[in-house]
Amino acid sequence: MKTVLGILGTLLVLAAAYFGMYRGWRNRQSRQSDLSPLPAVPEVKVSGVEGVYVATTSAGDWMDRIAVHELGVRSIADLAVSEAGLIFHRQGATDVFIPADHLTGVRTDRGIAGKVAAEKSGLVVVTWTHDGRELDTGFRPRRKADTAALTESIATLIGAEQR
């Protein structure tokens, strides 16, 4: 009998924890509901760098994940850099397009909501503006060698836009 009560108690605690996480995510979405929809993804045929789209957060607050418009959904993706901007082609989630004129910075970092890399420069973090908010989007390239090249090409794109 004690075993059955122990199992039921554990299941009850787990159910309460999942319910709490669900409510927290829904509350976050309602707080962020004023963020307008993202721009449509253009039809650009550019090959991308394979990796993982980690998340989008409020700029400067690496734990404040953006929950609306699927920006907080982690997914396998490839990141294409084009003259139009950045295109994250994601599996299992809506693609994300960041227009070149919205980009304000790029850096490498160790972590962003939901992912902390072992090495200091394991993530490419792009800072951009949307609807009057400054946001950070994290991307983890599959190959370590792609990190520097990706960062450089995004920095070049930002520099070209600021002229």
Side-chain angles (χ1 to χ4, degrees):
M1 186 65 169
K2 282 185 175 182
T3 304
V4 173
L5 288 176
I7 291 172
L8 288 175
T10 301
L11 290 176
L12 184 62
V13 168
L14 286 174
Y18 280 116
F19 180 71
M21 288 188 291
Y22 171 77
R23 294 261 331 254
W25 189 255
R26 298 295 296 187
N27 287 339
R28 182 179 295 266
Q29 285 179 324
S30 67
R31 282 193 317 269
Q32 298 170 348
S33 65
D34 61 331
L35 190 66
S36 66
L38 300 174
V41 179
E43 293 294 324
V44 177
K45 298 293 180 193
V46 178
S47 62
V49 174
E50 295 177 345
V52 175
Y53 171 94
V54 180
T56 296
T57 64
S58 296
D61 187 354
W62 70 285
M63 291 301 290
D64 184 25
R65 188 185 302 243
I66 303 297
V68 295
H69 311 304
E70 294 187 339
L71 288 172
V73 176
R74 181 176 172 167
S75 56
I76 295 173
D78 67 80
L79 171 54
V81 180
S82 73
E83 291 179 1
L86 305 181
I87 304 169
F88 295 88
H89 296 285
R90 304 192 300 166
Q91 294 179 14
T94 307
D95 291 347
V96 174
F97 171 59
I98 303 173
D101 60 345
H102 290 201
L103 296 169
T104 60
V106 62
R107 68 182 189 281
T108 58
D109 210 332
R110 175 171 241 151
I112 197 165
K115 178 69 176 173
V116 176
E119 61 275 357
K120 282 188 173 182
S121 58
L123 294 174
V124 175
V125 179
V126 179
T127 303
W128 55 293
T129 58
H130 177 66
D131 198 27
R133 292 174 96 167
E134 195 167 30
L135 305 170
D136 284 339
T137 297
F139 181 77
R140 169 111 168 129
R142 178 174 286 169
R143 290 172 293 282
K144 188 187 283 189
D146 290 336
T147 303
L150 189 57
T151 303
E152 185 177 320
S153 65
I154 295 170
T156 301
L157 180 63
I158 293 169
E161 280 299 313
Q162 293 177 349
R163 291 180 202 192

